[in-house]
């Protein structure tokens, strides 16, 4: 007789509907304790966290007897509640002894808003604008900040501190909008449907996270009109544009703070009467102020200030609205968990009003359903805030799996996310193997770690050995396939497909190696991109695990039209598993199958992945 647990939150026999629910949903809970344990009473305790921890206790009436197990069941009405419900069960015997189960998490969200599906379906390509492609060598004269420009595109970014011990990030390579325009057909060949740009607004630093002027693109990239023309050309090729919204802080040398007096009008640091002074949190004006993570060049803003809110999202010509009108299709919110919930909600509302299909993606590194920041449980994915989040938990799970963590741990981690997230957020996640904030995936998998115990000078000079690179490429190809097969938008950090290496910033931000691409990886990514573009099961299909054992992992992606089996082997030797899901026909990868009386044994080479169409 199969094992029957007393409760399983992921099984519809115990809880329905599955996972997160919209407010107003009746949620059915059932317990199935063994008859031999002689439980006579059962109850559920539900704590509604957002309603000042309001507690509801309900009896669970006995419903019958099934396969040697008693059945207790009850329905919980979520009403108009939005937030987390923490629930637990109590089973009692006639002698007064009891058993406690839980607590478990139930996410209740506002399901009244329609979330556009375009972002989660297709491939996203992340571009660090200064380092992707340049059409000319720019002249930095007269621009904000004391900038330098590398004449040689293949130089290494500066990483050593200056005489004052600062790494100022003011060395530029000159990537620009024209260069991106010239590579749009290349990006289309990768199957890209969304271009996500790191910040493009005028700024003194090459990363442009210290915004100097939200009203104009950085002159080294091109004009506002150049940006709009780029959007038009991208749209003609079926691509959308997502901008990086950095609204938690500005630059010290910005028009608003004006710490170096570059701009003609008086900024917050120059005059107490400046209209921008209330935007910032001065501890002792003008030299002591709050900044992002204590970095003086990034003064933090006061997001509760009415004038700042009006500037960012409130007015008809606000930053959020203006750039959507200019051609953008969505915003990625930098450090979203450091922005107040009502500020994020304001951005979301303004974006949808300006462009009905605009999408808001938040930067959150943890499980976004349980994230606590500044003492408050955040509302990121409860509706009307973020449509999806950067899926760093998936990145962690993929890295762990391909570094020996096991398929069981991967499936458990990702099923926890799927259970906790509203469906719209799970399918609109920004999934990536690396970003501008992490080491390159090829370096991590080839070298086997970040090597933080080594000097920065050592990491700057590091290159994978031929043996390390061969290992890294095999693992990277399998990891990329897993990324492209998983629900949410597979996001490629520029140059990964070309075989770029590098540890942390700035080594992960080197220039794209045009003319020196790794053709094997490039062909692989093109195959993955076309697979994702052409297969409905990968774009919006459900997910169900069929194998998660040691180095093996396999799951089904299914729609009414097709069923795909995605299988992976992270081990150093061949691995095999049985399936009865259907006849597997390989679409991409090197695995093979053998049939025996309706069962198929699938064998995967070491460090590999394969996608099968099931007939």
């Amino acid at each position: 007789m199969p094992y029957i647990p007393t409760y399983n939150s992921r099984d519809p026999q115990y809880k329905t509907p599955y996972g997160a629910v919209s407010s107003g949903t009746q949620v059915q809970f059932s317990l199935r304790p063994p008859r031999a344990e002689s439980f006579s009473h059962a109850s559920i305790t539900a704590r509604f966290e957002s309603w000042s921890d309001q507690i509801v206790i309900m009896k669970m009436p006995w419903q019958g007897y099934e396969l040697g197990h008693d059945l207790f069941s009850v329905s919980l009405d979520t009403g108009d509640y939005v937030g987390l419900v923490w629930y637990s069960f109590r089973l009692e015997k006639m002698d007064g002894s009891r058993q406690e189960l839980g607590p478990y998490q139930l996410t209740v969200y506002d399901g009244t808003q329609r979330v556009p599906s375009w972002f989660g379906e297709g491939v996203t390509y992340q571009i660090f604008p200064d380092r992707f492609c340049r059409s000319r060598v720019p002249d930095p004269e007269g621009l904000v900040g004391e900038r330098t420009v590398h004449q040689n595109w293949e130089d290494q970014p500066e990483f050593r501190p200056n005489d004052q011990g600062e790494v100022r990030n003011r060395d530029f390579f000159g990537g620009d909008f024209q260069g991106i325009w010239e590579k749009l057909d290349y990006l289309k060949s990768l199957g890209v449907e969304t271009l996500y740009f790191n910040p493009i607004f005028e700024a003194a630093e090459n990363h442009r996270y210290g915004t100097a002027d939200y009203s104009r693109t950085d002159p080294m990239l091109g004009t506002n009109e150049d940006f709009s023309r780029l959007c038009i050309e991208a749209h003609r090729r079926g691509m959308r544009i997502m901008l990086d919204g950095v609204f938690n802080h500005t630059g010290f040398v910005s028009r608003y703070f004006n710490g170096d007096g570059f701009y003609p009008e008086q900024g917050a640091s120059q005059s107490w009467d400046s209209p921008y002074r209330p935007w910032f949190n001065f501890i002792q004006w003008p030299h002591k102020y709050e900044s992002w993570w204590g970095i003086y060049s990034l003064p933090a803003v006061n997001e509760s200030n009415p004038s700042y809110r009006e500037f960012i999202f409130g007015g008809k010509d606000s930053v959020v609205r203006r750039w959507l009108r200019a051609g953008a299709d969505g915003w990625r919110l930098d450090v979203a968990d450091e922005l107040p919930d009502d500020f994020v909600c304001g951005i979301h509302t303004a974006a949808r009003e300006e462009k009905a299909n605009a999408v808001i993606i938040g930067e959150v590194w943890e499980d976004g359903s349980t994230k606590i920041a500044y003492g408050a449980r955040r509302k990121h994915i409860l509706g009307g805030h973020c449509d999806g989040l950067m899926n760093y938990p998936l990145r962690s799970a993929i890295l762990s799996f391909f570094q020996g963590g096991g398929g069981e741990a991967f499936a458990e981690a990702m099923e926890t996310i799927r259970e906790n997230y509203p469906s719209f957020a799970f399918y609109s996640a920004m999934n990536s193997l690396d970003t501008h904030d992490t080491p390159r995936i090829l370096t991590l998998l080839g070298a086997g770690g970040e090597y933080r115990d080594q000097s920065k000078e050592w990491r700057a000079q590091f290159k994978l050995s031929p043996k390390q690179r061969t290992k890294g490429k095999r693992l990277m190809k399998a990891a990329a396939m897993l990324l492209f097969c998983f629900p949410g938008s597979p996001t490629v950090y520029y140059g990964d497909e070309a075989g770029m290496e590098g540890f942390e910033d700035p080594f992960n931000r080197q220039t794209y190696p045009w003319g020196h691409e790794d053709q094997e990886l490039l062909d692989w990514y093109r195959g993955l991109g076309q697979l994702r573009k052409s297969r409905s099961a990968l774009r919006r299909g459900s997910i169900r695990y069929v194998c998660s054992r040691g180095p093996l992992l396999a799951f089904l992606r299914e729609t009414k039209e097709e069923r795909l089996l995605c299988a992976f082997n992270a081990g150093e030797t061949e691995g095999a598993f049985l399936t009865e899901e259907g006849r597997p026909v390989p679409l991409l990868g090197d695995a093979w199958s053998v049939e025996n009386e309706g069962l198929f044994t699938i064998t995967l080479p070491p460090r590999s992945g394969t996608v099968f169409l099931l007939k």
Side-chain angles (χ1 to χ4, degrees):
M1 182 179 295
Y3 169 72
I4 300 176
T6 298
Y7 181 69
N8 180 356
S9 64
R10 298 172 186 166
D11 188 330
Q13 294 185 85
Y14 299 87
K15 174 182 171 291
T16 186
Y18 174 88
V21 300
S22 60
S23 58
T25 301
Q26 295 273 346
V27 184
Q28 187 77 21
F29 296 100
S30 297
L31 298 176
R32 286 177 166 77
R35 168 58 64 89
E37 295 188 4
S38 304
F39 289 111
S40 57
H41 294 84
S43 62
I44 183 173
T45 298
R47 178 169 63 88
F48 290 71
E49 182 180 82
S50 297
W51 281 351
S52 301
D53 288 332
Q54 177 180 318
I55 293 177
V56 173
I57 301 175
M58 295 188 297
K59 293 181 179 180
M60 300 179 69
W62 183 79
Q63 303 291 337
Y65 176 74
E66 294 179 351
L67 301 174
H69 290 254
D70 288 303
L71 174 63
F72 299 89
S73 188
V74 73
S75 181
L76 177 69
D77 185 358
T78 58
D80 60 356
Y81 178 78
V82 173
L84 299 186
V85 178
W86 300 98
Y87 65 94
S88 57
F89 302 103
R90 174 177 290 179
L91 288 159
E92 299 180 85
K93 298 181 181 180
M94 294 296 291
D95 63 6
S97 60
R98 62 184 61 172
Q99 180 181 346
E100 307 279 351
L101 300 174
Y104 303 92
Q105 175 184 332
L106 172 65
T107 304
V108 184
Y109 62 95
D110 178 359
T112 59
Q113 297 196 34
R114 183 187 67 84
V115 176
S117 63
W118 60 264
F119 177 75
E121 293 186 358
V123 177
T124 298
Y125 192 87
Q126 179 185 351
I127 291 178
F128 195 86
D130 185 60
R131 308 290 161 82
F132 180 63
C133 183
R134 71 183 180 189
S135 62
R136 72 200 193 293
V137 180
D139 180 3
E141 186 68 28
L143 301 182
V144 64
E146 299 171 356
R147 311 187 193 190
T148 60
V149 175
H150 293 268
Q151 300 299 303
N152 183 359
W153 181 251
E154 298 180 4
D155 282 352
Q156 184 182 66
E158 292 180 8
F159 68 93
R160 298 178 182 88
N162 60 16
D163 294 340
Q164 288 73 45
E166 300 173 326
V167 179
R168 305 196 74 189
N169 295 300
R170 293 191 178 181
D171 63 313
F172 287 75
F173 285 81
D176 55 23
F177 293 141
Q178 180 64 35
I180 297 170
W181 186 340
E182 292 170 1
K183 300 299 181 182
L184 287 178
D185 289 334
Y186 162 76
L187 295 168
K188 186 176 180 179
S189 78
L190 294 173
V192 172
E193 296 180 41
T194 301
L195 297 178
Y196 155 48
F197 295 146
N198 289 110
I200 63 170
F201 305 121
E202 184 172 47
E205 294 85 12
N206 52 47
H207 51 69
R208 299 190 173 96
Y209 277 94
T211 309
D213 190 343
Y214 289 103
S215 70
R216 65 190 300 222
T217 60
D218 194 278
M220 289 178 70
L221 291 172
T223 65
N224 293 4
E225 292 73 26
D226 291 334
F227 169 74
S228 292
R229 284 192 288 269
L230 175 61
C231 291
I232 291 171
E233 290 301 316
H235 292 157
R236 285 177 178 169
R237 292 165 172 80
M239 301 179 198
R240 288 180 167 91
I241 303 294
M242 178 170 287
L243 296 181
D244 212 331
V246 187
F247 305 135
N248 168 266
H249 50 269
T250 70
F252 175 81
V253 298
S254 70
R255 181 178 297 278
Y256 321 104
F257 199 84
N258 211 9
D260 65 349
F262 176 83
Y263 292 96
E265 63 266 38
Q266 290 188 322
S269 69
Q270 297 167 306
S271 171
W272 184 261
D273 296 322
S274 168
Y276 304 124
R277 197 263 308 162
W279 289 13
F280 301 92
N281 300 308
F282 285 96
I283 302 167
Q284 185 178 356
W285 184 85
H287 301 301
K288 194 173 183 181
Y289 50 89
E290 293 181 5
S291 60
W292 185 74
W293 286 43
I295 301 173
Y296 87 93
S297 60
L298 300 175
V301 299
N302 177 10
E303 296 98 343
S304 64
N305 179 264
S307 171
Y308 183 68
R309 287 173 171 243
E310 182 76 5
F311 175 73
I312 296 297
F313 60 79
K316 191 64 180 173
D317 199 34
S318 63
V319 174
V320 168
R321 292 175 180 270
R322 179 190 313 166
W323 290 100
L324 290 174
R325 287 199 299 272
D329 302 282
W331 289 92
R332 175 262 193 191
L333 300 184
D334 184 58
V335 294
D337 49 5
E338 298 187 35
L339 299 172
D341 281 329
D342 62 347
F343 190 90
V344 175
C345 181
I347 291 173
H348 186 275
T349 300
R352 283 286 212 280
E353 288 177 355
E354 190 62 47
K355 188 170 283 189
N357 281 330
V359 166
I360 303 297
I361 302 296
E363 180 196 13
V364 177
W365 287 61
E366 303 86 4
D367 180 335
S369 70
T370 57
K371 175 68 179 185
I372 294 176
Y374 299 96
R377 183 84 69 187
R378 308 315 297 269
K379 300 178 181 178
H380 295 309
I381 50 176
L382 295 182
H385 291 76
C386 296
D387 300 310
L389 304 174
M390 297 184 74
N391 199 349
Y392 279 102
L394 171 62
R395 174 182 180 270
S396 297
I398 291 176
L399 283 174
S400 177
F401 172 63
F402 284 104
Q403 292 176 330
E408 304 92 336
F410 178 93
E412 174 60 28
M414 289 301 96
E415 283 297 271
T416 297
I417 293 293
R418 186 167 76 97
E419 184 177 16
N420 289 351
Y421 279 32
S423 180
F424 72 79
F426 185 70
Y427 280 89
S428 292
M430 179 183 277
N431 299 337
S432 57
L433 296 176
D434 51 5
T435 69
H436 61 290
D437 287 326
T438 70
R440 291 273 178 181
I441 185 65
L442 180 56
T443 295
L444 272 183
L445 293 175
E450 296 190 20
Y451 287 86
R452 294 283 183 167
D453 56 329
Q454 296 285 351
S455 69
K456 198 161 188 177
E457 189 79 37
W458 184 91
R459 294 196 299 278
Q461 303 303 322
F462 179 84
K463 295 292 182 185
L464 294 171
S465 68
K467 183 178 180 180
Q468 287 175 320
R469 190 168 173 91
T470 298
K471 172 189 172 184
K473 282 174 59 175
R474 284 195 64 87
L475 288 171
M476 179 181 174
K477 288 169 67 176
M481 175 174 277
L482 203 168
L483 184 79
F484 275 68
C485 289
F486 206 77
S489 179
T491 302
V492 179
Y493 185 42
Y494 81 100
D496 276 354
E497 79 281 11
M500 287 180 66
E501 300 180 22
F503 285 111
E504 80 285 2
D505 161 29
F507 315 122
N508 58 359
R509 303 176 183 180
Q510 299 183 67
T511 53
Y512 188 103
W514 297 109
H516 306 286
E517 299 90 339
D518 186 305
Q519 196 60 47
E520 178 188 350
L521 284 177
L522 192 55
D523 291 344
W524 182 255
Y525 271 84
R526 283 197 171 112
L528 291 175
Q530 294 310 311
L531 195 67
R532 180 75 184 210
K533 197 175 187 71
S534 63
R535 295 294 173 177
S536 63
L538 293 184
R539 294 175 73 82
R540 298 303 293 179
S542 62
I543 183 169
R544 176 164 59 90
Y545 292 87
V546 297
C547 179
S548 53
R549 185 183 72 250
L552 298 179
L553 177 70
F555 52 80
L556 292 176
R557 297 295 311 278
E558 301 174 276
T559 62
K560 292 180 180 179
E561 295 77 28
E562 68 179 6
R563 302 167 70 234
L564 300 182
L565 176 64
C566 310
F568 308 91
N569 177 12
E572 298 181 6
T573 59
E574 284 185 358
F577 65 95
L578 282 173
T579 178
E580 54 183 1
E581 298 292 342
R583 180 180 299 277
V585 178
L587 298 176
L588 186 63
D590 299 324
W592 64 93
S593 64
V594 176
E595 181 182 7
N596 183 14
E597 298 181 352
L599 292 176
F600 292 86
T601 299
I602 293 179
T603 303
L604 293 119
R607 298 169 177 165
S608 72
T610 298
V611 178
F612 297 91
L613 175 65
L614 295 180
K615 294 288 189 179

